[in-house]
């Protein structure tokens, strides 16, 4: 059995990164977290994990921590991730996602890091007209967020051709829920995601849920997305890392979803079932930039990795998110 060298987790204090920290620790991997706390506080990272507050764009810091901690792989989550904000402040996305990753990647290459797992997104596909989306389908992002992530994937692909590393680009669909043991969950400074907003409304933190459009060309008129439990996604990262190590000459491009589309209305109906009452909804206009439907083909994910989803049910996603929201409301983390 090979030695498990420490894994650097950029953005390990954030929502998805903190779940990946837990999944790696559970699988016996030593981890080191680098996080600039732009959308987190470090509170979700277990106390015994080496934690560095800083930016992936801080070249000397990255170079020294790769060396000093003997890092053997990088899971790269750090970045900005709000679609709407990327439209109003595009350069922030090219700076925080593309340009900052260039620095991290240059330092990783210089340090001889052999494996990189990158947080990509379904947003690279834009508004596809064919579902489910296959990894080889056209990359036609419709917002700067998606472009910034697609540019990063291209940097990784070009660099991996000539430098000695392999990589996985995990293209997330709609990530939701919380660690079933409530060790982590979503605590971002701004809530924009539907499951988070819905659970806040269920607990009375907001008066209702806005439904952004019911006139889409979908079965019930609201947008369709492929929701994946954050703990299943975290497990996919561990499996991807282990596959990169097992197959050092292959890269992995994998959609991460369940391959099942749910409309906004279906998600809110599931919330009503979980809380056993009707949480108020207000039907409103479309939100600019929302594609009508995004559903993954996850055939490659399932066939390539040793990964079976353990939480593939929207009711469980919602009830875990709700339990986490209750924990936040109790002030346990503040
Ligand atoms: N929605 C509402 N009301 C809300 C919030 C969202 O109706 O208050 C709707 C949106 O219009 C959309 C759906 O719920 O139709 C999902 O919206 P989210 O904001 O939860 O998620 P997005 O699909 O916009 O984006 C997320 C990630 C992106 C990723 C994308 C891939 O934020 O990074 O999933 O599917 F690219």
């Amino acid at each position: 059995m090979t030695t498990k060298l420490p894994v650097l987790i950029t953005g390990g204090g954030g929502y998805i990164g903190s779940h990946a920290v837990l999944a790696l620790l559970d699988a016996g991997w030593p981890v080191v977290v680098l996080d600039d706390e732009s959308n987190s506080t470090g509170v979700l990272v277990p106390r015994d994990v080496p934690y560095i507050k800083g930016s992936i764009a801080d070249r000397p810091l990255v170079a020294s921590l790769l060396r000093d901690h003997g890092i053997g792989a990088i899971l790269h989550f750090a970045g900005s991730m709000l679609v709407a904000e990327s439209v109003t402040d595009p350069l922030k996305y090219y700076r925080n996602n593309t340009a900052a990753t260039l620095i991290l990647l240059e330092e990783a290459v210089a340090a001889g890091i052999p494996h990189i797992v990158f947080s990509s997104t379904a947003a690279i596909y834009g508004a596809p007209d064919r579902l489910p989306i296959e990894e080889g389908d056209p990359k036609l992002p419709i917002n700067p967020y998606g472009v910034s992530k697609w540019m990063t994937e291209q940097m990784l692909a070009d660099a991996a051709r000539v430098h000695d590393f392999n990589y996985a680009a995990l293209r997330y669909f709609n990530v939701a829920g919380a660690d079933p043991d409530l060790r982590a969950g979503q605590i971002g400074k701004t809530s924009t995601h539907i499951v988070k907003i819905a659970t806040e409304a269920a607990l009375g933190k907001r008066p209702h849920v806005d439904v952004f459009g019911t006139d889409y060309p979908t079965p019930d008129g609201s947008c369709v997305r492929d929701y994946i439990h954050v703990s299943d996604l975290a497990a996919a990262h561990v499996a991807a890392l282990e596959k990169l190590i097992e197959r050092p000459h292959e890269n992995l491009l994998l959609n991460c979803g369940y391959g099942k589309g749910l409309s906004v209305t279906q998600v809110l109906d599931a919330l009503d079932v979980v809380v056993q009452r009707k949480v108020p909804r207000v039907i409103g206009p479309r939100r600019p930039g929302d594609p009508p439907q995004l559903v993954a083909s996850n055939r490659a994910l399932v066939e390539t990795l040793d990964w079976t989803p353990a939480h593939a049910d929207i009711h469980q996603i919602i009830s875990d998110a709700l339990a986490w929201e209750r924990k936040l409301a109790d002030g346990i983390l503040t």
Side-chain angles (χ1 to χ4, degrees):
M1 188 175 144
T2 50
T3 318
K4 287 181 168 167
L5 293 175
V7 179
L8 174 65
I9 313 210
T10 75
Y15 172 47
I16 303 173
S18 62
H19 287 82
V21 168
L22 296 174
L24 281 166
L25 291 174
D26 289 349
W29 287 92
V31 301
V32 175
V33 169
L34 172 64
D35 198 300
D36 70 358
E37 300 189 358
S38 55
N39 196 34
S40 65
T41 60
V43 71
L44 300 179
V45 179
R47 284 186 206 290
D48 52 349
V49 167
Y51 180 89
I52 296 106
K53 182 181 175 186
S55 167
I56 58 166
D58 182 340
R59 194 181 286 281
L61 174 70
V62 171
S64 66
L65 86 82
L66 292 178
R67 187 184 57 239
D68 296 348
H69 290 272
I71 298 296
I74 300 175
L75 263 59
H76 175 34
F77 295 91
S80 299
M81 42 68 183
L82 299 177
V83 170
E85 183 188 53
S86 81
V87 176
T88 55
D89 191 359
L91 298 184
K92 174 175 176 180
Y93 282 70
Y94 295 120
R95 183 176 66 245
N96 287 355
N97 293 352
T98 316
T101 301
L102 172 61
I103 293 170
L104 176 73
L105 186 53
E106 284 176 333
E107 292 309 318
V109 166
I113 302 296
H115 313 292
I116 298 174
V117 179
F118 170 60
S119 299
S120 189
T121 171
I124 65 170
Y125 298 111
D129 41 32
R130 199 185 72 163
L131 296 178
I133 303 167
E134 305 268 352
E135 285 81 357
D137 285 355
K139 315 303 178 296
L140 299 167
I142 56 172
N143 48 61
Y145 169 69
V147 179
S148 73
K149 289 283 186 174
W150 177 232
M151 288 166 77
T152 306
E153 276 205 35
Q154 291 173 298
M155 287 196 306
L156 283 162
D158 290 342
R161 255 178 234 120
V162 293
H163 297 294
D164 201 12
F165 75 94
N166 66 343
Y167 75 97
L170 300 186
R171 298 170 179 166
Y172 309 162
F173 282 64
N174 285 60
V175 189
D179 174 46
D181 297 328
L182 302 186
R183 296 171 295 173
Q186 214 165 344
I187 52 166
K189 289 169 189 159
T190 43
S191 304
T192 62
H193 294 114
I194 185 70
V195 172
K196 171 87 172 162
I197 283 175
T199 54
E200 288 174 356
L203 294 185
K205 287 188 186 176
R206 51 177 80 227
H208 63 263
V209 186
D210 290 303
V211 177
F212 295 146
T214 50
D215 58 348
Y216 284 96
T218 60
D220 65 29
S222 63
C223 285
V224 170
R225 295 289 183 272
D226 187 341
Y227 295 87
I228 177 170
H229 193 292
V230 64
S231 296
D232 281 336
L233 182 65
H237 285 75
V238 179
L241 171 64
E242 292 176 349
K243 193 58 69 178
L244 289 179
I245 294 167
E246 184 189 314
R247 299 184 188 167
H249 303 295
E250 271 181 44
N251 302 313
L252 304 170
L253 309 175
L254 299 172
N255 288 340
C256 294
Y258 293 144
K260 182 174 185 299
L262 289 173
S263 71
V264 172
T265 301
Q266 287 175 308
V267 170
L268 297 180
D269 287 348
L271 174 74
D272 290 351
V273 169
V274 170
V275 299
Q276 296 184 314
R277 68 184 174 83
K278 285 200 174 301
V279 176
R281 308 173 193 179
V282 173
I283 308 296
R286 293 182 178 194
R287 186 174 69 176
D290 277 343
Q293 307 200 58
L294 290 173
V295 181
S297 161
N298 69 0
R299 194 176 43 81
L301 178 71
V302 171
E303 287 178 4
T304 313
L305 301 186
D306 303 319
W307 176 85
T308 314
H311 314 282
D313 172 46
I314 191 64
H315 300 90
Q316 188 183 346
I317 289 175
I318 289 171
S319 70
D320 288 343
L322 194 62
W324 175 256
E325 210 54 47
R326 283 205 182 93
K327 181 168 171 171
L328 287 183
D330 290 344
I332 287 170
L333 290 174
T334 50

